[in-house]
Amino acid sequence: MKVDKETKSANREALLSAASRLLRERGVDGVGVAEISQAAGLTHGGFYRHFPSKEALVGASVERTLMETAERASGVVAEDGLDAFAHTYLSAAHLKDPAAGCALAALGGDMARQGGEVRAAYARGVRAYLGTLAPPGRPDRADNLKKLAALIGAAVLARGLAGVDDALAAEIVSAVREDRQAFKRD
Amino acid sequence: MKVDKETKSANREALLSAASRLLRERGVDGVGVAEISQAAGLTHGGFYRHFPSKEALVGASVERTLMETAERASGVVAEDGLDAFAHTYLSAAHLKDPAAGCALAALGGDMARQGGEVRAAYARGVRAYLGTLAPPGRPDRADNLKKLAALIGAAVLARGLAGVDDALAAEIVSAVREDRQAFKRD
DNA sequence: TGTACATCAGTGAACGCGCGTTCACTGATGTAC
DNA sequence: TGTACATCAGTGAACGCGCGTTCACTGATGTAC
């Protein structure tokens, strides 16, 4: 049965929210339309009243997730600096819960294999993300880009090693995180 | 029909070699047993005379691929230093051809979602890889781990942005690659 | 404001398809004598 | 060295399953009068 406009809008948000978490947790190929719809309280049939395809949802979800996390990250950086952000980024809490964390680390590897629509949405998200954490034009732009690349690389490695070589994961994390030379300034 | 021992052994190598390329190109969920078998010159039925499951193949392939690339990388570093390695790692040739490149960048994101068997094999490969590029015990170990993390993060980002924001991809690459402070020493 | 009705969000069965895996079978291999 | 035969690598059909997507249908919504 038809639902009112607010309900429809809330359902769309629920789909995006469920997709955001599930995609980061399982990867693009690891989660299906039916499961995302169910997590949002719909059946898979209803899904197609909101998005023309899974690809469209993935694009919209990735872009929005990056925008949201960029905003959150930006707050941390503004308040406590990039050093504090690095610490949070490589915290056990973040590494253990990819579903709620940075989409660049969780989905970056998948993005190289997606179609144009998803890639374009991803690029917009990355620009927003890097735009707030390493603002273009600033003299420290390149330096910050390098730090962010190290954070992402370390998170990817640490998550892959979690549970099978925690000592090595910890060593990588502390090499990237606790380097005073790299993360002290600002 | 049965084949002789050398043929069997060659077929196993062909499976591992095909898997190595296809997995890096498409990801673990993006390629199937049938396609890998076909690329190796077998039908999917024959596959199971070599590996008990897809998971077993993925584990063996990832571990071997990391060992091989570690050896190659080690040669570059020994001859020209980590600075030269970084340059090669972030070259257009490497970024454009994940199927022949570093498995950490191509498959790192997938590894966090694999089962224990694959993760354990992955961890052995990573230890070998990092063992040659950032030998444990050396005073520059942490420094080198950080550089490698930055290389991997930059490669993941640049590949995701390729074709949709090449300018940003290039900026990230040059921020990580051409930083004389970070990569000049040795 | 009240009514008649076109719209359309959501349901759930069904579609074709590719997945990982199994299995009966074939016939060359390699061993036992 | 020659022969008889058990082994087993590889084939291709078949399995159950889940995927993304479509579709006929339902009935509440919201608009036209």
Side-chain angles (χ1 to χ4, degrees):
Chain A
M1 52 303 207
K2 198 174 180 180
V3 301
D4 64 28
K5 291 194 292 187
E6 295 93 62
T7 304
K8 181 182 181 184
S9 163
N11 284 341
R12 190 190 151 91
E13 291 305 307
L15 283 168
L16 282 166
S17 168
S20 180
R21 288 192 65 87
L22 287 168
L23 288 171
R24 279 178 283 177
E25 188 178 316
R26 312 255 194 84
V28 175
D29 291 332
V31 66
V33 166
E35 192 181 0
I36 292 169
S37 301
Q38 196 177 22
L42 297 181
T43 57
H44 59 279
F47 169 85
Y48 289 92
R49 296 282 173 188
H50 294 280
F51 297 96
S53 64
K54 181 187 179 182
E55 191 181 0
L57 171 69
V58 171
S61 172
V62 167
E63 184 172 357
R64 164 182 294 216
T65 303
L66 284 170
M67 299 289 184
E68 285 171 359
T69 50
E71 202 164 334
R72 249 192 299 143
S74 162
V76 175
V77 173
E79 192 149 338
D80 300 316
L82 197 51
D83 193 4
F85 173 73
H87 204 273
T88 306
Y89 196 95
L90 294 178
S91 66
H94 183 219
L95 295 177
K96 263 194 236 169
D97 190 13
C102 176
L104 294 180
L107 291 172
D110 285 19
M111 289 301 111
R113 306 167 198 138
Q114 302 304 308
E117 193 186 344
V118 173
R119 306 273 296 273
Y122 173 70
R124 287 192 295 275
V126 174
R127 276 195 295 273
Y129 196 94
L130 299 184
T132 69
L133 267 66
R138 288 257 208 89
D140 59 355
R141 159 87 160 174
D143 214 47
N144 289 343
L145 287 180
K146 195 168 73 175
K147 289 174 189 171
L148 292 172
L151 291 180
I152 292 164
V156 167
L157 287 173
R159 282 177 178 165
L161 293 168
V164 288
D165 195 340
D166 289 313
L168 182 52
E171 200 185 356
I172 293 166
V173 162
S174 75
V176 172
R177 191 219 288 220
E178 310 196 312
D179 187 316
R180 295 287 117 191
Q181 267 173 256
F183 290 111
K184 192 137 199 187
R185 298 163 282 190
D186 92 302
Chain B
M1 56 299 207
K2 197 175 179 181
V3 300
D4 65 28
K5 290 195 293 187
E6 294 94 61
T7 303
K8 180 181 182 184
S9 162
N11 284 340
R12 190 190 151 90
E13 290 305 308
L15 283 169
L16 282 167
S17 168
S20 180
R21 289 193 64 87
L22 286 167
L23 288 171
R24 280 179 282 177
E25 188 177 315
R26 311 255 194 83
V28 175
D29 290 332
V31 65
V33 166
E35 192 181 0
I36 292 169
S37 302
Q38 195 177 22
L42 297 182
T43 58
H44 58 279
F47 170 86
Y48 290 92
R49 295 282 173 189
H50 293 280
F51 297 95
S53 65
K54 181 186 179 184
E55 192 180 2
L57 170 69
V58 171
S61 172
V62 166
E63 183 171 358
R64 165 182 294 216
T65 303
L66 284 170
M67 300 289 185
E68 284 171 358
T69 51
E71 203 165 333
R72 250 192 299 143
S74 162
V76 175
V77 173
E79 192 148 340
D80 300 316
L82 196 53
D83 193 4
F85 174 73
H87 205 272
T88 305
Y89 196 95
L90 293 178
S91 67
H94 183 219
L95 295 177
K96 264 193 235 170
D97 190 12
C102 175
L104 294 180
L107 291 172
D110 285 21
M111 289 302 110
R113 306 167 198 138
Q114 303 304 309
E117 192 187 343
V118 174
R119 305 274 294 275
Y122 173 69
R124 287 191 294 273
V126 174
R127 275 196 295 272
Y129 196 94
L130 299 183
T132 68
L133 266 66
R138 287 258 209 89
D140 58 356
R141 159 88 160 174
D143 214 46
N144 290 343
L145 287 179
K146 195 167 72 173
K147 290 173 190 175
L148 292 172
L151 291 180
I152 292 164
V156 167
L157 287 173
R159 282 176 179 166
L161 294 168
V164 288
D165 195 340
D166 288 313
L168 182 53
E171 201 186 354
I172 293 166
V173 162
S174 74
V176 172
R177 190 219 290 220
E178 310 197 311
D179 187 316
R180 295 288 118 188
Q181 267 173 257
F183 290 111
K184 190 137 201 184
R185 298 162 283 188
D186 90 305

